[in-house]
Amino acid sequence: MERTLCIIKPDAVKKKVQGSIIQMILDAGFKILGMKMLHLSKKQAQKFYEVHKERPFYNDLVDFMTSGPVVTIALEKDNAVTDYRYLIGATDPAEAKEGTVRKMFANSKQENAVHGSDSVENGKIEVGFFFAESEL
Ligand code: ADP
Ligand code: MG
């Protein structure tokens, strides 16, 4: 079984679509191991997105991710990383396929409704960023 981290981003929580997104995840066969609603601190958001710190969108991304509450969800499934990224669709909603979470709910390439881990290794690391093993 693989693990992957979902974050329902501030834009989606503001739109009150977190329930719809969680239902899509459950309908796609994922098991929810843990779920937390929290307001990220600037430090947490900077650390979480550290790999992007040289990118031009980094500071805006940190501001956006701290602009309101998020829901972090630890997910488990066979092939979780690839299957969840398929469910959420492309980073830019203009490129996301019909029926994907980002096509349905994203506002823009930045405000794109959800986060998803990009590799099996990062899935484990990112779940660990928000959840102690004893909580799952
Ligand atoms: P993904 O979330 O699909 O893995 P990335 O890891 O490339 O995408 O980027 C992390 C997040 O940074 C994206 O989900 C999005 O919120 C934001 N982002 C990425 N590229 C851009 C961009 N060109 N302009 C604004 N925000 C961006
Ligand atoms: Mg990424």
Side-chain angles (χ1 to χ4, degrees), residues 9-40:
K9 296 185 179 184
D11 59 316
V13 175
K14 276 192 193 104
K15 280 199 264 185
K16 303 183 182 176
V17 295
Q18 63 271 54
S20 305
I21 293 172
I22 292 165
Q23 193 62 54
M24 287 175 75
I25 291 169
L26 290 170
D27 289 346
F30 291 85
K31 180 177 178 190
I32 293 177
L33 298 177
M35 175 154 60
K36 290 179 187 177
M37 185 166 174
L38 69 167
H39 197 136
L40 296 179

Side-chain angles (χ1 to χ4, degrees), residues 67-86:
S67 67
V70 300
V71 182
T72 64
I73 311 175
L75 297 172
E76 187 177 72
K77 187 182 177 299
D78 287 330
N79 212 31
V81 170
T82 304
D83 287 0
Y84 174 74
R85 286 205 69 106
Y86 183 80

Side-chain angles (χ1 to χ4, degrees), residues 49 52 85 115-118 126:
Y49 281 116
H52 294 310
R85 286 205 69 106
H115 169 79
S117 308
D118 64 4
E126 290 180 357

